[in-house]
Amino acid sequence: MGRLVPRNFKNQGRRDGDDPRTRPLQTIAYCGLRYIFRSKTQFTDPNQWHGFTWRPPAAHERARLRPSHSMHRMPIHRANIGPNSLVAGTRMKLLITGGSGFIGSALILDLLENSPHEVVNIDCLTYAVCPLSLDAAAGHPRYAFEAIDIRDRPAVARALDRHRPDRIVHLAAESHVDRSIADSDAFIQTNVVGTHHLLEAARDYYETLHGAARDAFRFHHVSTDEVYGSADAGGRFTEHTPLSPNSPYAASKAAADDLVRVWHGTYGLPTLTTASTNNYGPRQHPEKLIPRIIIDALAGRPIALYGDGRHVRDWMHVEDHVRALRRVTEHGRVGERYNIGALAPKTNLEIATLVCDALDTLVPNRGLGSYSGLITFVADRKNHDRRYALDPSRIMRELDWHPERGLEDGIRDTVQWYLNNARWINDALGLAGA
């Protein structure tokens, strides 16, 4: 923490009676750090930060700062962040594809609450989207939505020209493995062809940029640990592990990863890529494992797990993933790949048991005993990866990101959210045709 005060204050040419030292204190949260300054209005122009320097806050000022869950984090080490990394308080416009989905909506809500950035969300609103997820963003002065399919390159190009974003965060994707096995066409069209069209539109847009705008532009592609295939016992995937996907979904994402890498190397597009482990948390579509367990358990239906239930995944709360995405988007090094993992490996059976334990505590079913009695095993998925495990040491070392949400507490909070949001579940299930 600290206070931003003018350098050489006496020479700032202030108007009489306009003493910054007597203005009301304001704070701004940025990259997990909370800044305090005196101003009549919020800073919205990066140039307004010129002429300020850092000073620790006085005791009475520290007492007036709101607590933040990430205030204990140390500042990012300057040697490890990319050139043209953001200065605290810089306001950007981010164009987010797939922003109405699970991770995208969480990112948008976080950006609107905890950053000065403007957000443009382009999404074609498939079955996997519940409009209620972004109710809190509706009408926000820094939020705009456009119903656009990334496969429609002219529409994407028009959106880029209209909004002139500083950075693109590419989250739009078909992501359910079972659906990709049943019908891979939508996965190839969206994840491969759509990414290609988006890259080409971004490249054309990038060529129109000059000076600082060109230097600051980034294309951040969000991928998955599934592109690496199945990990050996005890091993972890690094950013240099060859891609070896084992499902149509994973293959489509691996193809997109390669396209992004090639568009950087061949055309010089300033790209960033992240790959994350399994996410969970509020507003996740009911077809995914943890929401499905909750919904099936409450309905008294069997909780079906593939095979012996001992497939291992690393589970990360979506809030931790969102913080990592912001770190990389704002400070990542161009051309680099960052693995994002929580180092919380659990088998699917262990996850199901944790969810059932939370339900037993929050909504006990005396007639059933324990919800875990509903767990059953079904035939395994085709070519099912046995274990995923990422090594997140690069993002921890270079960008000072660390997971903060404990798994058991996070699952309990997630279960409580679903218990409190029956309308959201019903809407999501209705849109999915369930």
Side-chain angles (χ1 to χ4, degrees):
M1 294 186 298
R3 188 156 68 92
L4 295 170
V5 296
R7 301 189 189 102
N8 303 320
F9 175 77
K10 293 181 179 179
N11 298 321
Q12 292 296 310
R14 67 185 187 279
R15 297 188 305 273
D16 290 340
D18 184 23
D19 187 338
R21 291 171 294 186
T22 65
R23 294 176 186 166
L25 289 173
Q26 298 184 26
T27 62
I28 187 166
Y30 184 77
C31 280
L33 302 176
R34 194 169 293 273
Y35 298 90
I36 183 167
F37 57 88
R38 297 184 184 273
S39 174
K40 286 184 174 179
T41 59
Q42 283 280 33
F43 287 120
T44 57
D45 181 350
N47 294 324
Q48 290 179 287
W49 290 87
H50 295 173
F52 284 78
T53 189
W54 184 256
R55 191 176 85 188
H60 71 282
E61 294 169 339
R62 289 196 300 269
R64 294 169 64 180
L65 283 172
R66 291 186 301 168
S68 171
H69 67 275
S70 56
M71 285 176 67
H72 65 279
R73 293 285 172 220
M74 295 296 292
I76 300 169
H77 195 280
R78 179 60 54 179
N80 290 332
I81 63 179
N84 301 309
S85 181
L86 294 184
V87 176
T90 301
R91 182 169 178 170
M92 294 191 302
K93 181 179 285 187
L94 304 180
L95 186 143
I96 299 175
T97 72
S100 298
F102 169 48
I103 297 171
S105 61
L107 175 60
I108 287 172
L109 294 175
D110 177 78
L111 287 166
L112 295 178
E113 181 177 354
N114 299 314
S115 84
H117 305 322
E118 296 177 64
V119 177
V120 178
N121 172 19
I122 67 171
D123 199 303
C124 65
L125 303 178
T126 69
Y127 79 92
V129 165
C130 180
L132 292 175
S133 294
L134 283 172
D135 262 6
H140 196 289
R142 290 188 284 113
Y143 175 71
F145 171 77
E146 298 228 20
I148 294 175
D149 190 323
I150 60 169
R151 295 173 294 181
D152 186 347
R153 180 175 165 186
V156 172
R158 288 192 296 271
L160 290 172
D161 185 60
R162 184 162 51 251
H163 294 287
R164 312 298 295 178
D166 300 295
R167 303 194 177 183
I168 295 172
V169 183
H170 177 33
L171 280 153
E174 295 284 346
S175 65
H176 195 259
V177 175
D178 287 345
R179 287 179 182 265
S180 79
I181 293 172
D183 184 0
S184 61
D185 186 67
F187 291 77
I188 302 303
Q189 289 300 315
T190 298
N191 300 355
V192 183
V193 177
T195 297
H196 171 254
H197 287 326
L198 183 64
L199 283 165
E200 282 291 85
R203 183 163 72 97
D204 290 343
Y205 170 68
Y206 180 60
E207 292 304 316
T208 70
L209 301 178
H210 302 281
R214 185 178 177 88
D215 292 341
F217 182 76
R218 302 287 186 274
F219 182 104
H220 179 178
H221 170 62
V222 181
S223 189
T224 169
D225 57 357
E226 297 193 36
V227 298
Y228 297 115
S230 192
D232 296 331
R236 291 191 175 277
F237 300 129
T238 72
E239 288 81 0
H240 302 292
T241 300
L243 307 186
S244 183
N246 287 319
S247 72
Y249 160 62
S252 69
K253 289 297 289 184
D257 289 11
D258 273 343
L259 287 173
V260 171
R261 180 180 58 82
V262 170
W263 257 244
H264 170 65
T266 303
Y267 301 113
L269 189 69
T271 64
L272 304 158
T273 298
T274 52
S276 81
T277 56
N278 280 41
N279 280 215
Y280 71 95
R283 306 178 190 87
Q284 187 172 31
H285 193 270
E287 71 183 359
K288 300 295 186 175
L289 181 63
I290 289 178
R292 180 173 59 79
I293 293 171
I294 297 169
I295 294 166
D296 285 347
L298 291 173
R301 294 192 293 262
I303 299 170
L305 300 179
Y306 281 127
D308 60 4
R310 300 191 182 280
H311 302 81
V312 177
R313 303 293 185 261
D314 181 12
W315 292 88
M316 175 169 58
H317 197 284
V318 68
E319 290 178 2
D320 283 329
H321 189 196
V322 161
R323 288 190 305 101
L325 294 178
R326 284 186 56 194
R327 284 289 174 98
V328 174
T329 298
E330 295 170 341
H331 300 290
R333 288 187 290 153
V334 168
E336 292 292 349
R337 183 182 185 93
Y338 295 88
N339 285 346
I340 306 169
L343 302 175
K346 293 289 181 183
T347 66
N348 290 343
L349 179 57
E350 289 173 320
I351 290 295
T353 302
L354 284 173
V355 173
C356 289
D357 289 346
L359 287 168
D360 289 339
T361 299
L362 296 170
V363 282
N365 186 328
R366 293 185 176 86
L368 185 63
S370 173
Y371 290 98
S372 60
L374 296 171
I375 296 174
T376 187
F377 302 97
V378 298
D380 206 353
R381 172 191 287 160
K382 296 177 181 179
N383 211 21
H384 199 177
D385 290 325
R386 190 67 173 173
R387 178 175 177 268
Y388 297 142
L390 292 182
D391 176 1
S393 58
R394 168 179 278 179
I395 190 171
M396 291 178 174
R397 179 180 66 253
E398 294 187 6
L399 301 182
D400 192 40
W401 173 88
H402 301 271
E404 296 182 355
R405 295 300 303 269
L407 183 60
E408 292 189 17
D409 288 344
I411 285 181
R412 184 172 57 250
D413 291 347
T414 299
V415 170
Q416 186 66 68
W417 187 90
Y418 281 93
L419 292 174
N420 293 343
N421 288 274
R423 182 189 167 201
W424 185 96
I425 295 172
N426 290 332
D427 281 10
L429 289 172
L431 289 167

